[in-house]
Amino acid sequence: MTKKQRVVLGMSGGVDSSVAAHLLLEQGYEVIGVFMKNWDDSDDSGFCSAAEDYEDVVKVAEQVGIPYYTVNFEKEYWDNVFEYFLEEYKKGRTPNPDVMCNKEIKFKAFLDYAMSLDADFVAMGHYAQVERTEEGVRMLRGVDTNKDQTYFLNQLTQAQLEKTLFPLGHLQKSEVREIAEREGLATAKKKDSTGICFIGERDFKQFLSEFLPAQPGNMETMDGEVMGRHDGLMYYTIGQRHGLGIGGAGDPWFVLGKDLERNVLLVGQGFHHNALYSDALKANLVNWMTPKELPETFECTAKFRYRQPDTKVTVQRLPNGEALVTFAAPVRAITPGQAVVFYDEMECLGGGTIDEVYKDGQKLTYVG
């Protein structure tokens, strides 16, 4: 009798990873469930949402009949994700910790841990797909376009993809809920978690102020007219409307950029304010995960933030892991620190971090 392939599944206590466990068992794998403890989120009252999530992992693991463990990656998370998060905010940028968490924790520290358990594969409840070909492994978007998570997985490598399964990639979220209810899984009706794991339900400003000192300053128009005061540049992102507190007649006010040297938040009226648009960017830390050989310059589509429609772009690959990305049409609110992710129809080619933003050949100094 052939030995079953062993899969170590990252279980979060949510419905997605619960259904992933059920599907992997149906497919004939030996499954081990592992809960990752990445952050000490006990609040002053002693409440810890991770403890509740782990209880749900235990319930589901016992329901489907798999062994379960917990592993602590708090140090790795602090060193490789949270420190990066703070450093980016210090630079006036808006980081994406989910991308770094996938790169450094879920598909690095966790993958190494899984291999120590003699796993053949790791699996996650992400909405993405892997396709194994003679050339290598391609990562494809999840069938559910509203839940597709390839944007956050843009830093994965061929070596990581070869060892990865995404059991939910071919399903709609509604189908996942149906399976959970049909199988009577304890998490069938559990709400999806939202937001950054280490902030949870807390107020973002309050959380960030615990780690970075806020420096209030002026809010000004591009012409230098003072419109009010800001609480600290780190609390605002390009294109933001809410929380500015500027009244008066006319169109709503939006964040256009940041003057770091003067500690000024630049604001302007109108969703389509001219200063919010750019036509190119330079990305760094670019990772190409596709097995195919890409030319030095090529056309594809790109996303500049999650759940954004694709934009046609021309990509010029540069030395040192950089890329120059030119847009077919101007794009609103390109934000340094966020990810730019490249696609060829269903395939995710890779991605990088937005580093510089350009308009008419000039670098926009007020957006990072």
Side-chain angles (χ1 to χ4, degrees), residues 38-292:
N38 296 334
W39 186 261
D40 181 4
D41 64 350
S42 301
D43 64 20
D44 294 336
S45 65
F47 172 75
C48 176
S49 63
E52 278 193 354
D53 290 335
Y54 182 61
E55 285 176 17
D56 287 332
V57 168
V58 172
K59 287 175 191 171
V60 171
E62 290 181 344
Q63 274 186 296
V64 300
I66 61 171
Y68 53 88
Y69 303 95
T70 182
V71 61
N72 191 308
F73 291 135
E74 286 179 21
K75 184 183 186 305
E76 292 89 341
Y77 194 94
W78 183 281
D79 292 347
N80 298 312
V81 181
F82 191 62
E83 291 280 6
Y84 155 83
F85 173 84
L86 294 181
E87 282 302 313
E88 287 289 275
Y89 270 109
K90 284 179 190 174
K91 296 174 188 172
R93 292 151 62 108
T94 305
N96 197 313
D98 289 330
V99 172
M100 199 57 68
C101 180
N102 283 321
K103 178 182 180 179
E104 296 291 341
I105 307 300
K106 293 180 180 175
F107 295 91
K108 189 172 181 181
F110 183 79
L111 181 59
D112 291 344
Y113 172 78
M115 293 303 117
S116 75
L117 300 178
D118 295 325
D120 295 289
F121 298 101
V122 295
M124 299 287 174
H126 289 80
Y127 288 80
Q129 302 182 84
V130 287
E131 180 182 80
R132 288 169 171 80
T133 69
E134 289 183 4
E135 291 78 27
V137 185
R138 301 165 75 218
M139 185 167 75
L140 308 179
R141 304 183 206 239
V143 166
D144 189 332
T145 54
N146 192 48
K147 296 296 290 184
D148 169 54
Q149 288 169 292
T150 52
Y151 179 87
F152 302 112
L153 298 167
N154 73 80
Q155 290 291 303
L156 300 196
T157 65
Q158 277 286 300
Q160 291 166 323
L161 287 172
E162 283 170 7
K163 293 288 185 182
T164 298
L165 301 175
F166 294 121
L168 308 185
H170 65 292
L171 296 171
Q172 298 287 332
K173 177 73 181 200
S174 58
E175 295 176 289
V176 171
R177 287 279 182 196
E178 285 170 16
I179 293 169
E181 294 198 18
R182 185 182 71 224
E183 299 300 321
L185 299 180
T187 53
K189 289 183 164 49
K190 186 174 180 179
K191 282 201 313 184
D192 289 341
S193 60
T194 56
I196 300 166
C197 70
F198 50 78
I199 297 176
E201 302 300 318
R202 283 173 289 186
D203 177 76
F204 177 73
K205 273 189 178 181
Q206 183 184 337
F207 174 83
L208 206 53
S209 68
E210 293 173 17
F211 298 92
L212 296 177
Q215 294 178 296
N218 283 340
M219 287 192 280
E220 297 180 7
T221 66
M222 299 294 280
D223 299 325
E225 183 183 355
V226 177
M227 301 305 300
R229 296 281 289 172
H230 68 77
D231 298 329
L233 293 180
M234 62 188 178
Y235 298 136
Y236 304 86
T237 190
I238 311 299
Q240 176 179 329
R241 173 183 174 181
H242 298 291
L244 299 183
I246 306 174
D251 292 332
W253 289 81
F254 292 86
V255 174
L256 305 180
K258 304 173 183 182
D259 184 332
L260 294 180
E261 284 188 11
R262 297 192 302 127
N263 190 32
V264 166
L265 188 72
L266 297 166
V267 295
Q269 281 182 289
F271 183 87
H272 293 295
H273 193 290
N274 185 53
L276 279 172
Y277 284 83
S278 55
D279 54 30
L281 65 83
K282 186 188 281 186
N284 60 13
L285 304 175
V286 177
N287 169 63
W288 299 110
M289 70 173 75
T290 178
K292 65 187 175 190

Side-chain angles (χ1 to χ4, degrees), residues 6-21:
R6 176 176 290 176
V7 178
V8 174
L9 169 67
M11 296 188 73
S12 64
V15 67
D16 292 333
S17 56
S18 302
V19 171

